[in-house]
Amino acid sequence: MPPQLQNGLDIAAKVVQGTLDSLPQAVREFIENNAELCQPDRIHICDGSEEENGQLLGHMEEQGILRRLKKYDNCWLALTDPRDVARIESKTVIITQEQRDTVPIPKTGLSQLGRWMSEEDFEKAFNARFPGCMKGRTMYVIPFSMGPLGSPLSKIGIELTDSPYVVASMRIMTRMGTPVLEALGNGEFVKCLHSVGCPLPLKSKCIISELKVKIKKKAEQQPPAGASGTPKQGPGALTWEGSLFTEPLVNNWPCNPELTLIAHLPDRREIISFGSGYGGNSLLGKKCFALRMAGRLAKEEGWLAEHMLILGITNPEGKKKYLAAAFPSACGKTNLAMMNPSLPGWKVECVGDDIAWMKFDAQGNLRAINPENGFFGVAPGTSVKTNPNAIKTIQKNTIFTNVAETSDGGVYWEGIDEQLAPGVTITSWRNKEWSPQDGEPCAHPNSRFCTPASQCPIIDAAWESPEGVPIEGIIFGGRRPAGVPLVYEALSWQHGVFVGAAMRSEATAAAEHKGKIIMHDPFAMRPFFGYNFGKYLAHWLSMAQHPAAKLPKIFHVNWFRKDKEGKFLWPGFGENSRVLEWMFNRVDGKAGAKLTPIGYIPKEDALNLKGLGHVNTTELFSISKEFWEKEVEDIEKYLEEQVNADLPCEIEREILALKQRISQM
């Protein structure tokens, strides 16, 4: 532990904006305890104002953390250290007393449904990282609300961070600042602590590490250069914990990849992150709070926290419905949330593109809010063709990370589909001159835009409605090149929960996995479960017992099926509105459907294909006995091995029933 400060006065003297006296007691204690531990030079209590934001952005520009993109209005580019570019599942943990509270105990090997760390191991890891970690830096205090301020579905967090990039991004992604503290009063909040793990002064890269020194004589017990503290006796060595200074900062981006750790302590309502500045690891309101922590809160309080977009769809008669949809990364989730329908007279509006918090109201409607305030979208593949509304949204007040920059002050990435003016050159995300002949992408595959949701031209009028919007359909989907039809509807709520549990998709760049393999991604939540997945399934199944529940219909879609030549069978994008139309009418009890062993598919002519050239619907909807025998075998094996004793018997029954239906094909 660092030397204790005599009293709170020393900490109060470090406050450069705001006052500790004005804060709720619990917030003040949270700040004081962590300021004593992390030893920042300054403490800045964020008010969320335009003025504060402008100062922070200017300060980061001076430090070379951000570049101003002169082609747009108040847009910025950050380039990270190439070792800090994505969520790191291997270093993301949940701490509970018992391992089984976090993950089911698999039959063999490690759980793929989350990572558990013991309380003892966490204490050691925490004490090796956080003491003194903010020396020379400013500790920013970010009060933030997940969900519209004052909504009964919203939750409040306080994040302490030494990264101004986090502050600017959290201002976009959450409701942030003084109004949140006013709404909080003496209420409960989730405690979030984040550090890039690079104390100053720093002429070069800081890596806190263990230094082992061979003992020749007892007298040689002085710490080596850069280390401090009392040594621990080990077999033939003394170990100091301390700081080594090596290699300069890359792109002025402080991080500590060797010691990165993202930890969730649900029993203490705490999230603790060290060593990474990347969005999913450092914007603690995002996946850490909105999914992992909220998932646990939702289980205790009887609601759902899900990795789902929310969209409103209105038919030509003016009737509107809301749908929620779960897709793994790179399956067109943001594109669907912001779709321009190709069907005349139909309208899609966006409530949220990533996360849904859903709770039954007194009338039995499943009400959903988008807990976020912005979009943190994957840039590559976003273009005027694939997502015109996203392109319009990101023209101002946006922070881009790890995209390429054009010499006229614009952004560029793979699939942007824009012609460059003559003489305009490209600098890649690696900060080097780039040309298509280089054989590597100009933007990182997981490069991002962080942009205010309110700027989306098709943002739904009710997107900030405190009571949420009523969900009538839930869609699961994945990227499946073979075997899985364009759309099918689950036979019941229980079957729908099984369909969510059985989701599989080609793996992508948002996590650290490489290459294209079909991975299990139940509910598109595999990296985001906040507690045991078997208990999560039981929680979903229990929704059917909710008094007066109007259970949404559940569908599965696959926009990505290919023919034998490897060409997509379905055009996708705006044409996906044709599938939404069928779902809309199914919810209304109108559209024709055909029963198959895997669920209901559209009857001949039930899917509106007017004006759509030739589409091979036979191949698009074909259900092969051989494929599905293998599919159900893989799903059964995965769930039995991974969920093991915690697999609900209702899911076992659904597996058996599906097997039986396939065997009769």
Side-chain angles (χ1 to χ4, degrees):
M1 288 293 285
Q4 292 297 305
L5 299 179
Q6 276 87 45
N7 54 45
L9 289 175
D10 298 85
I11 289 175
K14 294 183 173 197
V15 177
V16 293
Q17 178 171 302
T19 62
L20 292 176
D21 292 342
S22 64
L23 300 173
Q25 185 61 27
V27 176
R28 180 176 180 155
E29 285 171 9
F30 176 51
I31 296 167
E32 286 175 346
N33 292 341
N34 284 292
E36 283 194 9
L37 174 74
C38 302
Q39 298 178 36
D41 278 16
R42 295 164 298 279
I43 297 170
H44 175 123
I45 300 162
C46 298
D47 61 19
S49 66
E50 280 290 346
E51 186 186 3
E52 173 185 76
N53 188 51
Q55 285 169 353
L56 278 174
L57 292 167
H59 165 66
M60 285 189 276
E61 187 178 21
E62 281 165 25
Q63 289 189 315
I65 298 168
L66 291 184
R67 295 183 202 171
R68 192 184 294 266
L69 293 162
K70 59 179 186 282
K71 199 169 173 181
Y72 318 109
D73 176 14
N74 192 32
C75 288
W76 304 82
L77 173 62
L79 300 179
T80 73
D81 184 313
R83 297 172 302 166
D84 190 21
V85 293
R87 283 183 296 102
I88 310 177
E89 287 174 28
S90 55
K91 297 183 177 188
T92 302
V93 297
I94 294 175
I95 290 96
T96 49
Q97 257 184 320
E98 300 297 323
Q99 182 173 353
R100 201 167 163 186
D101 292 336
T102 292
V103 287
I105 308 302
K107 278 192 176 163
T108 54
L110 288 172
S111 174
Q112 295 167 23
L113 296 163
R115 293 180 89 87
W116 175 75
M117 183 183 262
S118 72
E119 291 172 334
E120 299 72 32
D121 285 351
F122 173 70
E123 283 308 312
K124 278 185 212 147
F126 182 83
N127 291 329
R129 286 164 174 78
F130 279 90
C133 66
M134 294 188 185
K135 277 183 180 169
R137 296 189 182 276
T138 300
M139 173 189 276
Y140 297 96
V141 179
I142 308 173
F144 65 97
S145 174
M146 300 307 294
L149 259 182
S151 161
L153 295 168
S154 295
K155 301 278 180 195
I156 284 175
I158 307 281
E159 177 165 359
L160 309 180
T161 179
D162 52 10
S163 164
Y165 169 88
V166 168
V167 181
S169 302
M170 285 289 281
R171 185 175 183 268
I172 295 171
M173 292 307 299
T174 69
R175 285 92 178 160
M176 184 270 262
T178 307
V180 177
L181 288 172
E182 289 162 1
L184 173 63
N186 291 315
E188 290 183 357
F189 62 95
V190 171
K191 297 173 178 173
C192 304
L193 174 63
H194 168 255
S195 174
V196 292
C198 277
L200 296 171
L202 179 69
K203 303 277 187 296
S204 47
K205 182 94 187 169
C206 147
I207 300 166
I208 298 175
S209 59
E210 289 202 331
L211 306 164
K212 295 202 171 171
V213 183
K214 293 285 175 209
I215 307 168
K216 292 183 189 143
K217 297 183 191 141
K218 280 278 178 216
E220 282 184 52
Q221 293 195 6
Q222 288 304 305
S228 60
T230 314
K232 293 182 291 193
Q233 185 77 49
L238 287 179
T239 302
W240 275 270
E241 263 140 27
S243 304
L244 277 181
F245 295 90
T246 59
E247 43 179 317
L249 280 187
V250 182
N251 294 326
N252 300 305
W253 182 266
C255 61
N256 191 336
E258 290 79 6
L259 282 186
T260 293
L261 183 68
I262 300 96
H264 307 71
L265 293 86
D267 297 319
R268 287 169 25 186
R269 307 290 194 249
E270 289 179 26
I271 301 164
I272 292 170
S273 171
F274 185 92
S276 170
Y278 167 77
N281 305 325
S282 66
L283 312 183
L284 299 185
K286 193 138 185 68
K287 309 295 194 196
C288 297
F289 186 157
L291 290 177
R292 297 187 196 99
M293 186 63 71
R296 170 68 184 270
L297 297 173
K299 178 181 178 283
E300 292 173 16
E301 297 168 7
W303 49 283
L304 298 166
E306 300 301 326
H307 189 204
M308 292 182 177
L309 66 89
I310 308 165
L311 63 81
I313 179 164
T314 308
N315 73 4
E317 289 73 57
K319 190 171 183 183
K320 186 170 193 175
K321 295 187 185 303
Y322 289 94
L323 307 171
F327 296 92
S329 276
C331 287
K333 196 169 167 204
T334 302
N335 294 349
L336 182 63
M338 299 186 194
M339 179 207 287
N340 276 345
S342 60
L343 283 179
W346 285 80
K347 184 164 77 168
V348 165
E349 289 162 296
C350 177
V351 176
D353 79 324
D354 196 35
I355 295 170
W357 287 1
M358 303 185 285
K359 188 176 189 176
F360 284 105
D361 66 13
Q363 289 70 48
N365 299 302
L366 187 61
R367 293 266 172 188
I369 62 166
N370 168 14
E372 300 191 295
N373 192 47
F375 304 126
F376 187 66
V378 174
T382 306
S383 70
V384 170
K385 176 179 175 268
T386 62
N387 195 336
N389 290 312
I391 294 290
K392 287 176 188 155
T393 306
I394 61 180
Q395 298 298 311
K396 59 182 182 183
N397 307 319
T398 298
I399 298 173
F400 295 91
T401 303
N402 288 339
V403 302
E405 183 182 5
T406 58
S407 55
D408 59 350
V411 291
Y412 208 76
W413 50 73
E414 277 59 39
I416 197 168
D417 247 12
E418 271 179 27
Q419 287 301 308
L420 292 175
V424 170
T425 58
I426 295 174
T427 303
S428 80
W429 76 279
R430 291 184 179 273
N431 211 7
K432 298 189 303 209
E433 281 279 305
W434 181 90
S435 81
Q437 287 71 51
D438 288 357
E440 62 174 24
C442 65
H444 187 274
N446 192 40
S447 54
R448 299 278 172 162
F449 53 80
C450 179
T451 192
S454 58
Q455 293 178 186
C456 178
I458 58 157
I459 199 74
D460 194 89
W463 86 281
E464 294 194 280
S465 150
E467 68 276 8
V469 297
I471 299 297
E472 295 187 63
I474 290 172
I475 303 167
F476 295 120
R479 186 178 273 270
R480 299 301 302 272
V484 180
L486 175 66
V487 60
Y488 62 93
E489 179 192 321
L491 305 171
S492 64
W493 180 258
Q494 289 74 15
H495 179 234
V497 174
F498 164 73
V499 169
M503 276 171 67
R504 302 171 77 198
S505 191
E506 273 189 344
T508 68
E512 74 263 45
H513 303 287
K514 304 282 191 291
K516 300 224 166 174
I517 46 167
I518 303 285
M519 281 180 71
H520 292 271
D521 194 352
F523 289 78
M525 281 283 286
R526 189 193 56 73
F528 309 122
F529 292 120
Y531 63 100
N532 181 313
F533 173 54
K535 303 281 184 278
Y536 168 97
L537 286 172
H539 183 58
W540 262 81
L541 290 163
S542 76
M543 293 296 142
Q545 270 65 65
H546 194 281
K550 297 172 190 161
L551 294 170
K553 278 189 180 287
I554 296 178
F555 301 91
H556 187 283
V557 299
N558 173 29
W559 318 127
F560 303 98
R561 195 168 184 174
K562 292 178 178 177
D563 63 15
K564 291 178 183 65
E565 278 74 57
K567 293 197 178 74
F568 288 118
L569 286 161
W570 180 249
F573 304 112
E575 304 299 353
N576 294 337
S577 56
R578 299 168 186 274
V579 175
L580 297 186
E581 178 193 38
W582 181 73
M583 293 176 185
F584 187 105
N585 292 331
R586 285 296 292 163
V587 171
D588 266 355
K590 288 178 185 163
K594 185 167 92 179
L595 183 60
T596 76
I598 65 168
Y600 296 103
I601 63 170
K603 251 187 183 154
E604 289 282 310
D605 304 330
L607 194 65
N608 177 355
L609 300 175
K610 273 187 213 119
L612 190 66
H614 174 68
V615 170
N616 186 341
T617 49
T618 311
E619 203 174 339
L620 199 53
F621 284 101
S622 68
I623 296 166
S624 143
K625 181 174 183 176
E626 191 187 356
F627 175 89
W628 278 93
E629 279 174 341
K630 175 83 172 77
E631 182 77 359
V632 73
E633 189 187 308
D634 288 349
I635 292 161
E636 180 178 38
K637 184 178 173 213
Y638 177 76
L639 293 175
E640 281 189 353
E641 283 189 359
Q642 285 293 315
V643 196
N644 198 2
D646 292 316
L647 190 65
C649 56
E650 296 94 327
I651 300 297
E652 288 179 22
R653 282 201 291 272
E654 288 299 335
I655 295 170
L656 285 173
L658 178 58
K659 269 185 159 172
Q660 209 168 356
R661 294 194 299 269
I662 291 164
S663 72
Q664 289 164 2
M665 279 173 80

